[in-house]
Amino acid sequence: YHSLANQYRRFNFYYVSAALKKISFYFHSQTLEFAGLPPGELILRERQDKKSFKLSVIRRILAFNTTKRVILFGDNAEYDSE
């Protein structure tokens, strides 16, 4: 992240999580800041439906950034223990 942020100041950073916004926004914001990650848009889900949340958000990001290259980093939290 830091190399990309320093080399390419024109990159847009998006942080996408299927966590509910109303209960997770503060924690996620603080975690990103504490980790020193580049500033960006934190996108959390608004409703309980999380089945296709990340995919629909990524599709919107790709549609918005049609003239730019997009690099995706992530993990698969689908298998986290409940």
Side-chain angles (χ1 to χ4, degrees), residues 29-43:
S29 298
Q30 294 300 305
T31 300
L32 294 171
E33 185 178 331
F34 179 77
L37 295 173
E41 184 177 351
L42 174 59
I43 305 170

Side-chain angles (χ1 to χ4, degrees), residues 16 39 53 56 70:
V16 180
F53 172 77
S56 67
V70 176

Side-chain angles (χ1 to χ4, degrees), residues 64-80:
F64 178 75
N65 293 286
T66 58
T67 61
K68 298 180 181 179
R69 291 184 180 179
V70 176
I71 302 170
L72 303 173
F73 295 95
D75 67 343
N76 185 348
E78 296 298 316
Y79 300 104
D80 289 348

Side-chain angles (χ1 to χ4, degrees), residues 5-17:
N6 291 332
Q7 291 178 2
Y8 304 100
R9 300 226 180 258
R10 293 177 287 176
F11 277 158
N12 296 324
F13 285 85
Y14 301 92
Y15 301 96
V16 180
S17 172

